[in-house]
Amino acid sequence: MDYKKLADFLFPDIDQTPEDLEALYPKRQLPEGAEVTRLAPSPTGFIHLGNLYGAMVDERLAHQSNGVCYLRIEDTDEKREVEGAVPVLLDVLSYFGINFDEGACKADKPGCRPSNVEPSAGETGSYGPYWQSMRSRIYKACVKKLVAEGKAYPCFMSEEEIAQIREEQSAAKLDPGIYGKYAKHRDLSFEEIQARIAAGETYVIRFRSEGDASRYFTVRDAIRGEISMPENIQDVVILKKNDLPTYHFAHVVDDHFMHTSVVVRGEEWMASLPIHVQLFAAMGWDVPLYCHNTVLMKIDETTGQKRKLSKRKDPELGLSYYKELGYFPEAVREYLLTILCSDYEEWRIANPLADYNEFHFSTEKMSDSGTLFDINKLNDVSKDVLAKKSAAEIYDFMLGWAKEFDQAKYKLLADNKDMLLKVFDIDRGGEKPRKDLIYAQQIFAFIKYFFDDTFEYESEWPAEVSAEDRKEILARYIAGYDPADDNSAWFEKVRGITADLGYAVKPKDYKKNPDAYKGHVGHVSGVIRIAVTGRANSPDLWTVQQIMGKEKVAQRIEKAMHA
Ligand code: GLU
C-alpha cells in the first residue's frame, strides 16, 4: 500500500507538515527549570472543585518556577458545549485567585467564542489558537503524517457494526473494542477506500496500534513515581467524522506544540495513559510529565460509605456553590491544599500568617488516592482564616459579595458601615480571636440581631425565671442601664438585680443549695441577653450593647417586656 498516496488522497488540502508546525511553535524561551502547565477544561458550564484543585496545581507549578500557566479550551465535543461557559470559568477561577498568563483568557463577554480559524480577540499568546475547535488543520497535519507512515487509517465501520462486535466480544468474554481482528478496516486497499468515499460513506481515522498487551512499559507520574502498564492494543479513533480529533489525539498534539512540561489532569485519565504514550511515540515526540490528581470523595450521608463527589447529588462539588454562599476564596484554597498536600498543614502551623504562595508546592507530597472532602472541616478552616482577617477586610469582602448576590444586604452593609466595622471587630485580634465567622450568608445570619428587620427570638427564655420576674429584671435593668459604665460596673448592676430578686450571684451557690434560690446570675443575664440579641449565646453582651447604642438597647428591652 502506498500510504503517502492515501494520505494525499484523504487530506488533499493539508500542505503543512508537523515540521512546519515545529517552526511556527518554537521551544519557549524560559529560564532553566521553568514549568509550562495548562488547564484544559471542556466548556460544559460546570466548574467543579476538581477543576480548581487542578488549576491550583498548574498555577503553583508554573509560577513558583517562573514558568507559564495557560488556558486551553477543549471544545471538540459540540454536544457538551455550553454557550458562555468560558467567561464564567474565567470569572470563577479568578475569584479563587487563579489567573492565566496565556491562552483563552480574554473571553470577557458572554458568548465570546471565536468562530473562525484566525486567532481571535478571545485569546493571548503565540502558541494558539487555544480553542481546539479552531485547530482542525493542525491536527489534520499530524494525522496526515501518521496516515502517510501507515500508522493510521480510515475506518468506515457503522455504529451498528461496532455494536455487534461489542456483543460478540461480551458473549465470548473478550475485551471490548476495535483491535486485532475486530479492526476490520485496517487493511482496506486504496481502491476500496476510494470507492467507499466516492459512494458517500463517512469515516473516522483510527490509529493502527502495534501494541501488545503482554508487554509492559513504564512511565513516571509526578505524584505516583514510576508506574508500569500494559501497552495499548486498541485502534483508537484519533479523528472524528466532524473533522475534529478525540481528546486522546488532541491533547497529545496540543501539549506538544504548546510545550507543556507538566500535564496536570484528573485520575480518571490514568487508564488511557497507554494510548497517550503510544501516540506521543508514534509522532516521535517526548512524553510530558503527567501528574494525575486524586479524585475528591465524601462520606455519603445515607450509606456512611466513601464515594466520589457527584455533580448530580452534591451541590458542594460545583465551585459556584462557594461563591454564591460567600466563602472567602482563600478559605476554600487553604482547605483544598490541606487535604491534597501532606506537608501543607505542618507548613501552615509554622507559618500562620504567610501567603499560601510562599509554600513550596511539590507534586511528590500530593495525595495519590481518593481524598476525603468534608464540608465541616472546610468550615473549620474558614473560621481560622477569617479569625486572622481585620474587621475592615471582612466588611469589604461582604460588601463585594452582597453587591453581586443580594442587593438588600448590600444596602444594609453600605448604610451601617461604622456599626458593622465594630461588629466584625468583636473579640478580634489578641491571643484567642473568636472563630465564628465562616462565609457571607452565615455571617449575615450570625449578626442579624443587630438589625430590627431581622431580629427575632431564637432561644427560649430561661425556665428558672418566671414571666413576672422576667419583666421585673428587664424593668430594673433598663432603669439602671448606663452605656458609660465599663464592663465590670455594668455587670455589678446585673449582680445587684440578681441578689435583689432572690437569685444566686454565684452559680455554684445555687448548685450547692438549689432550694435557697430561684436561679442564678446566668439565668438573669440570660434574660437580658435574649432580650437584646434574641439568643442565649452571643459575643460579649456589654460590647454588643456598646455597639447598638442606648436607644436600641432600650427598645429591645421594652419589646421583651411585652414578649
Ligand atoms: N478536557 C479534559 C477534561 O476536562 C482535560 C483533561 C486534561 O487536562 O488533559 O477532563
Side-chain angles (χ1 to χ4, degrees):
M1 165 73 123
D2 183 345
Y3 292 123
K4 167 93 177 52
K5 186 168 139 199
L6 176 61
D8 286 334
F9 172 68
L10 293 176
F11 301 102
D13 61 331
I14 299 294
D15 40 23
Q16 242 172 356
T17 64
E19 289 69 38
D20 298 332
L21 294 166
E22 296 294 349
L24 265 177
Y25 302 113
K27 198 169 173 306
R28 292 169 182 268
Q29 296 302 310
L30 291 170
E32 181 74 22
E35 304 291 5
V36 178
T37 59
R38 86 299 193 271
L39 187 73
S42 303
T44 60
F46 182 66
I47 311 141
H48 52 83
L49 278 172
N51 291 136
L52 173 61
Y53 176 59
M56 276 163 58
V57 179
D58 284 324
E59 191 276 334
R60 281 295 77 216
L61 290 180
H63 293 156
Q64 76 184 6
S65 64
N66 296 317
V68 173
C69 177
Y70 70 90
L71 177 67
R72 180 171 77 223
I73 302 301
E74 305 214 325
D75 58 344
T76 58
D77 185 351
E78 287 142 352
K79 285 196 270 325
R80 294 177 63 211
E81 188 165 348
V82 168
E83 191 74 17
V86 176
V88 173
L89 175 101
L90 289 167
D91 180 56
V92 171
L93 287 177
S94 135
Y95 179 79
F96 287 101
I98 308 291
N99 296 299
F100 299 95
D101 308 307
E102 178 183 309
C105 50
K106 276 197 180 164
D108 54 3
K109 53 179 196 293
C112 171
R113 178 178 174 279
S115 54
N116 55 34
V117 289
E118 293 305 316
S120 82
E123 59 182 34
T124 163
S126 337
Y127 290 85
Y130 296 88
W131 304 70
Q132 288 185 331
S133 60
M134 296 165 63
R135 299 173 62 78
S136 174
R137 292 182 69 84
I138 297 177
Y139 304 121
K140 284 203 223 163
C142 299
V143 174
K144 185 172 184 180
K145 169 191 154 92
L146 291 180
V147 173
E149 291 174 356
K151 293 175 183 166
Y153 62 89
C155 171
F156 299 86
M157 273 196 279
S158 65
E159 306 230 336
E160 294 74 39
E161 275 175 277
I162 294 175
Q164 203 187 333
I165 289 177
R166 196 162 297 142
E167 261 172 48
E168 255 177 61
Q169 290 168 330
S170 146
K173 298 203 163 32
L174 290 167
D175 287 340
I178 303 303
Y179 58 90
K181 69 170 183 180
Y182 302 105
K184 295 191 175 154
H185 293 174
R186 258 190 162 201
D187 296 311
L188 294 183
S189 66
F190 181 77
E191 289 67 32
E192 184 164 0
I193 293 170
Q194 215 175 14
R196 281 180 184 257
I197 292 175
E201 278 191 51
T202 54
Y203 62 94
V204 297
I205 302 283
R206 287 185 185 272
F207 180 70
R208 187 192 304 271
S209 174
E210 300 295 338
D212 175 343
S214 66
R215 269 197 318 248
Y216 277 65
F217 68 95
T218 51
V219 65
R220 196 165 82 80
D221 177 273
I223 301 179
R224 294 160 181 80
E226 286 283 299
I227 40 181
S228 175
M229 297 177 95
E231 287 179 3
N232 167 57
I233 57 163
Q234 303 273 348
D235 280 7
V236 294
V237 174
I238 53 175
L239 198 64
K240 298 183 283 187
K241 286 187 178 160
N242 64 0
D243 251 12
L244 284 171
T246 51
Y247 166 77
H248 302 312
F249 195 63
H251 99 275
V252 166
V253 171
D254 294 346
D255 285 323
H256 174 73
F257 286 119
M258 296 179 183
H259 300 275
T260 311
S261 64
V262 188
V263 170
V264 179
R265 64 181 182 183
E267 197 173 29
E268 67 275 15
W269 292 111
M270 194 79 171
S272 18
L273 194 52
I275 299 171
H276 305 153
V277 168
Q278 195 178 39
L279 291 174
F280 271 104
M283 290 302 302
W285 297 333
D286 290 338
V287 180
L289 176 61
Y290 280 100
C291 175
H292 290 97
N293 274 332
T294 174
V295 284
L296 291 172
M297 318 275 282
K298 74 179 271 184
I299 303 283
D300 188 282
E301 290 95 6
T302 40
T303 64
Q305 302 288 316
K306 222 176 170 188
R307 64 162 172 80
K308 257 165 100 170
L309 279 168
S310 116
K311 179 174 166 185
R312 203 168 41 82
K313 296 190 204 153
D314 308 309
E316 72 268 32
L317 180 61
L319 276 190
S320 52
Y321 175 84
Y322 303 93
K323 193 174 174 215
E324 282 158 21
L325 284 177
Y327 274 89
F328 273 57
E330 272 167 87
V332 177
R333 273 195 326 234
E334 186 79 8
Y335 175 61
L336 284 181
L337 282 168
T338 309
I339 54 173
L340 295 155
C341 297
S342 60
D343 52 345
Y344 189 74
E345 227 167 337
E346 200 182 323
W347 175 84
R348 177 50 82 203
I349 292 167
N351 303 279
L353 298 177
D355 185 307
Y356 88 110
N357 286 338
E358 287 170 30
F359 166 70
H360 184 84
F361 197 94
S362 122
T363 49
E364 285 109 50
K365 294 286 192 304
M366 281 165 59
S367 161
D368 66 355
S369 64
T371 302
L372 209 53
F373 179 83
D374 178 347
I375 196 111
N376 297 318
K377 296 220 175 97
L378 163 65
N379 288 343
D380 286 344
V381 169
S382 191
K383 286 178 189 169
D384 287 340
V385 168
L386 266 59
K388 289 179 202 141
K389 298 262 167 241
S390 70
E393 283 171 308
I394 296 196
Y395 178 83
D396 289 345
F397 175 80
M398 301 281 289
L399 195 67
W401 174 83
K403 190 167 185 192
E404 187 169 353
F405 293 103
D406 192 327
Q407 287 313 309
K409 290 193 173 100
Y410 177 71
K411 186 165 176 353
L412 211 60
L413 280 158
D415 291 349
N416 294 283
K417 180 169 182 176
D418 292 344
M419 180 182 86
L420 286 169
L421 283 174
K422 289 182 201 149
V423 172
F424 295 142
D425 211 30
I426 300 177
D427 285 343
R428 194 154 289 283
E431 286 280 286
K432 280 201 172 161
R434 276 186 83 89
K435 292 187 177 171
D436 36 27
L437 307 184
I438 310 175
Y439 53 87
Q441 292 272 29
Q442 176 269 345
I443 296 174
F444 270 108
F446 187 70
I447 61 166
K448 69 178 193 185
Y449 57 84
F450 281 96
F451 303 103
D452 293 336
D453 284 352
T454 45
F455 170 83
E456 59 185 335
Y457 295 110
E458 297 171 66
S459 301
E460 298 291 327
W461 298 107
E464 290 77 1
V465 182
S466 67
E468 205 179 308
D469 273 4
R470 189 163 81 217
K471 275 196 181 151
E472 188 61 26
I473 291 168
L474 294 171
R476 286 177 183 234
Y477 177 71
I478 200 59
Y481 179 69
D482 182 354
D485 290 341
D486 66 9
N487 206 332
S488 62
W490 167 77
F491 198 57
E492 225 16 78
K493 286 186 179 166
V494 175
R495 281 205 180 101
I497 301 171
T498 303
D500 285 354
L501 296 181
Y503 292 77
V505 171
K506 291 184 181 153
K508 71 169 189 283
D509 292 345
Y510 171 67
K511 277 183 196 129
K512 247 191 272 162
N513 203 355
D515 293 337
Y517 306 96
K518 297 183 196 165
H520 63 70
V521 67
H523 303 128
V524 174
S525 60
V527 166
I528 302 168
R529 190 184 298 275
I530 296 175
V532 175
T533 68
R535 296 177 181 169
N537 289 306
S538 77
D540 180 66
L541 190 55
W542 178 83
T543 313
V544 167
Q545 296 175 112
Q546 292 289 312
I547 296 171
M548 283 183 173
K550 180 158 186 182
E551 199 183 327
K552 197 189 282 284
V553 172
Q555 278 165 8
R556 291 278 166 92
I557 299 293
E558 180 68 22
K559 181 179 165 96
M561 284 169 73
H562 301 102

